[in-house]
Amino acid sequence: MASNDEVIKVLIIDDDEDDFFITSDYMKGIEEYKLKIDWSYKFAEAVQLLQNKSYDIYFVDYRLGAKTGLDFLREAVRIGAEEPIVLLTGKGNKTVDVEAMQMGATDYLIKTELTTEKLERCIRYSLERTSYLKALRANELKYRSIFELSKDAVFIADRSLQVLDCNPATSTLLGYTKDELTKLSMYDLISDENDATVLRSQMETEGQVADMEVEIQTKDNDKRSCVLSVTATVDQENQFQGLIHDITNLRRAEKANLMVEKLGATGRLVRTFGHE
């Protein structure tokens, strides 16, 4: 959200200069923001300015000669523009308004009903909404990156632990493609039926499981010792996030050390008998 001291760059896209002056005069009455208001009457020029991220907010007239404001919105979608776009119409048209909002317009205003107060609210709402959406997309990108790059297997599942999504490490560990895994549940992958029963019981009674050691069978029938954790997601009802940590090599090392210790003890016992 822009501060009151920050200059907000506004582009009005309208092929009628008189309408531009009327709209800009209303905007000049806004005291809450410092606005730098420019005009473009050429569709291609306006699209280029949008692509260059030259302005903070765009007000586009529905009728632009051979083009329309909806065409401008389509171009905005094509180039992935994030800045707010407000559609201006000569008179209310519900079909156009609905289509504009579906295509990503932040708001729509009827020219004959414009006032300084309406434009101030529109600018404030548009900038706040865009700031929120940008922060949301940044967080999604950050957590998606963590999800995709994690060396541990991470998955999303429904209440029956049917896999809905998983990261590449899950496919690497289990040997299944993502599409194959979405046809399976975690219960299908656990090789010991008793472990599957315990997991099911914990999920039904507690709704989560923490650091449960299970043996998981891969697509190649290899058995991997793993630590499984499953918790409910915060923002999605009836969805769970899970993590599988492979400890197969650790368990093998422990068994090898135990075997060495047993052989050492046996050797000492044989030497003791020999001495006696």
Side-chain angles (χ1 to χ4, degrees), residues 11-274:
L11 182 66
I12 299 174
I13 307 160
D14 197 320
D15 61 356
D16 189 320
E17 189 175 12
D18 289 337
D19 283 355
F20 160 68
F21 282 124
I22 292 170
T23 305
S24 62
D25 282 344
Y26 283 127
M27 287 186 180
K28 289 173 183 175
I30 297 174
E31 298 178 352
E32 287 80 1
Y33 302 108
K34 293 179 180 178
L35 303 179
K36 179 182 181 298
I37 307 165
D38 290 329
W39 174 46
S40 176
Y41 61 91
K42 296 178 181 178
F43 181 86
E45 177 189 63
V47 170
Q48 188 61 51
L49 290 168
L50 178 67
Q51 190 162 9
N52 294 342
K53 301 182 182 295
S54 301
Y55 292 87
D56 300 307
I57 184 168
Y58 297 81
F59 287 81
V60 56
D61 188 21
Y62 175 69
R63 300 204 174 277
L64 295 170
K67 297 287 188 178
T68 69
L70 296 180
D71 293 321
F72 187 79
L73 285 167
R74 291 188 186 94
E75 288 296 312
V77 171
R78 181 184 64 81
I79 64 180
E82 294 184 324
E83 289 71 28
I85 299 172
V86 179
L87 187 69
L88 300 173
T89 58
K91 56 183 179 179
N93 184 323
K94 186 174 181 180
T95 302
V96 171
D97 296 342
V98 170
E99 187 175 357
M101 299 304 284
Q102 288 175 341
M103 292 177 64
T106 309
D107 202 352
Y108 62 88
L109 298 173
I110 300 171
K111 285 184 175 182
T112 55
E113 298 177 3
L114 288 181
T115 64
T116 296
E117 291 74 18
K118 279 188 177 181
L119 284 166
E120 185 279 323
R121 283 197 300 270
C122 175
I123 291 173
R124 173 163 42 85
Y125 164 77
S126 299
L127 293 176
E128 287 177 351
R129 180 175 181 269
T130 300
S131 177
Y132 169 77
L133 290 176
K134 283 183 178 179
L136 186 63
R137 279 193 288 268
N139 280 334
E140 286 177 350
L141 184 61
K142 180 176 71 174
Y143 290 115
R144 172 55 64 173
S145 178
I146 293 171
F147 178 80
E148 294 292 342
L149 298 177
S150 172
K151 293 183 179 179
D152 282 324
V154 183
F155 64 90
I156 305 296
D158 62 14
R159 183 166 289 279
S160 64
L161 294 192
Q162 182 86 21
V163 177
L164 302 174
D165 192 10
C166 64
N167 68 345
T170 308
S171 294
T172 301
L173 173 63
L174 302 178
Y176 293 96
T177 66
K178 182 185 287 191
D179 287 341
E180 289 173 329
L181 283 168
T182 56
K183 298 178 176 65
L184 299 170
S185 77
M186 291 309 302
Y187 302 116
D188 299 323
L189 298 167
I190 295 175
S191 59
D192 189 312
E193 290 186 8
N194 290 330
D195 286 345
T197 300
V198 171
L199 174 61
R200 194 183 300 275
S201 176
Q202 274 198 253
M203 290 301 299
E204 289 176 354
T205 56
E206 300 179 23
Q208 64 179 14
V209 61
D211 299 331
M212 178 180 177
E213 189 166 338
V214 294
E215 196 171 64
I216 291 179
Q217 187 162 317
T218 69
K219 186 177 180 179
D220 297 329
N221 293 321
D222 182 25
K223 292 183 179 179
R224 311 291 297 180
S225 297
C226 300
V227 174
L228 173 67
S229 296
V230 182
T231 57
T233 56
V234 176
D235 56 346
Q236 292 287 338
E237 189 177 358
N238 293 324
Q239 276 197 11
F240 295 81
Q241 54 194 9
L243 185 144
I244 306 170
H245 181 60
D246 185 8
I247 58 169
T248 304
N249 292 336
L250 176 63
R251 288 291 176 258
R252 286 173 180 169
E254 288 175 349
K255 286 181 181 179
N257 288 335
L258 184 60
M259 184 62 69
V260 169
E261 290 175 3
K262 285 183 177 179
L263 289 173
T266 302
R268 288 194 296 273
L269 185 60
V270 168
R271 286 195 298 272
T272 300
F273 282 141

